[in-house]
Amino acid sequence: QVQLVESGGGLVQAGGSLRLSCAASGRTASVIATGWFRQAPGKEREFVSAISWSSGFTLFADSVKGRFTISRDNAKNTVYLQMNSLKPEDTAVYYCAGRGGGGNYNRANEYDFWGQGTQVTVSS
C-alpha cells in the first residue's frame, strides 16, 4: 500500500501563491507518477497536473498552464505543486494521487492511491 499526505493548503488573496506538498510513504516504488486533482463544491473532480517520477514528464490542465508548476523530490518521495497568480476559481479541495501504470495522466479513475485532500481558498 501507498499512503499520500497533502499539506500546504490555506486561505490566500487573489494573485497570491501557495505551495502544496504530497508526501508518499509505504510501497512508493510502485508509484510511477503523481497527479493533482481538485474538486470545488458542487463540481466534479478535475485534473490539475501530473508528473512522472522517472522521466520528469509533466502535464497541466489548460486552466492552470503558466501559473502552476509541478516538481518532485525523489529523495523525500514528495511532489510539490507551486500555485502562482491564484484566482478565486482555483478554490477547491486539492487531492494528490499516485498511479502504478501508464496511460492517461489526466484521468482520475486510472489512479490507484489518493490522499485526504487539502483546502485551498482564494479570496477576491
Side-chain angles (χ1 to χ4, degrees), residues 2-20:
V2 175
Q3 294 78 44
L4 301 174
V5 178
E6 303 99 332
S7 61
L11 173 65
V12 64
Q13 289 188 332
S17 299
L18 283 174
R19 188 179 79 158
L20 305 184

Side-chain angles (χ1 to χ4, degrees), residues 2-120:
V2 175
Q3 294 78 44
L4 301 174
V5 178
E6 303 99 332
S7 61
L11 173 65
V12 64
Q13 289 188 332
S17 299
L18 283 174
R19 188 179 79 158
L20 305 184
S21 300
C22 174
S25 60
R27 299 182 63 183
T28 57
S30 64
V31 176
I32 68 164
T34 295
W36 284 96
F37 293 79
R38 66 187 182 186
Q39 188 166 20
K43 295 187 176 181
E44 293 187 354
R45 189 168 298 189
E46 64 173 357
F47 171 76
V48 176
S49 182
I51 186 167
S52 165
W53 280 94
S54 58
S55 68
F57 167 81
T58 60
L59 186 67
F60 295 92
D62 288 343
S63 59
V64 305
K65 280 181 181 176
R67 300 189 297 123
F68 291 11
T69 59
I70 190 170
S71 61
R72 72 206 191 283
D73 185 329
N74 293 58
K76 296 182 178 180
N77 290 321
T78 300
V79 170
Y80 303 97
L81 183 70
Q82 178 67 43
M83 306 185 297
N84 299 326
S85 302
L86 282 162
K87 305 175 182 180
E89 50 264 44
D90 294 318
T91 295
V93 177
Y94 284 69
Y95 299 89
C96 71
R99 58 189 295 148
N104 296 294
Y105 280 11
N106 58 353
R107 292 185 181 175
N109 61 4
E110 294 188 13
Y111 285 77
D112 305 298
F113 313 104
W114 290 84
Q116 81 288 351
T118 186
Q119 177 71 46
V120 171

